[in-house]
Amino acid sequence: MAETVVSLEFDLVRALRALANPMRLQLLSWLREPERHFSPEGAIADPVEVGVCVSHIQAKAGLAQSTVSAYMAELQRAGLVQATRVGKWTHYKRDEQRIAQLVAVLGQTL
């Protein structure tokens, strides 16, 4: 049990680091309601079920594709999003269960 708590606390630190960047925080916020923030036009997968294509995230953010990919990879390493490949495209969606766990740990830690 103590090992699990240490792991969750480490994950919390990693998540907080990822969220310390305003754009990564914005990206995570947009993914909370993908149907509201991303046009369904041109989508090859359901943004709620599968996630939003990185090219759509990049277009909305107005950043280079490499920058968006790096930001999304950081959010994924922090356990805040899940990536799914659809053909040659990577789609991202929030990991709501993991986010809830991290929020709970944050509440217990502070």
Side-chain angles (χ1 to χ4, degrees):
M1 180 66 180
E3 194 172 300
T4 302
V5 171
V6 170
S7 175
L8 283 174
E9 287 175 354
F10 173 77
D11 291 346
L12 179 61
V13 170
R14 178 176 264 175
L16 290 173
R17 274 194 204 124
L19 295 173
N21 176 290
M23 182 48 86
R24 286 194 296 257
L25 184 60
Q26 182 65 66
L27 297 175
L28 194 62
S29 176
W30 288 339
L31 291 175
R32 184 176 194 144
E33 298 177 280
E35 65 283 354
R36 179 175 166 211
H37 295 285
F38 299 95
S39 170
E41 199 167 310
I44 60 173
D46 183 334
V48 175
E49 293 297 317
V50 178
V52 177
C53 181
V54 73
S55 64
H56 293 160
I57 297 169
Q58 183 249 330
K60 182 165 178 75
L63 299 170
Q65 188 273 335
S66 60
T67 302
V68 172
S69 291
Y71 283 171
M72 297 311 297
E74 183 66 26
L75 291 170
Q76 184 180 13
R77 282 190 298 274
L80 299 169
V81 298
Q82 296 173 335
T84 302
R85 295 284 292 183
V86 178
K88 65 179 184 173
W89 307 106
T90 303
H91 290 67
Y92 290 96
K93 70 183 249 179
R94 289 166 50 111
D95 187 336
E96 296 296 347
Q97 182 178 356
R98 189 72 176 143
I99 290 170
Q101 288 175 336
L102 292 168
V103 168
V105 171
L106 181 61
Q108 294 169 356
T109 303
L110 296 180

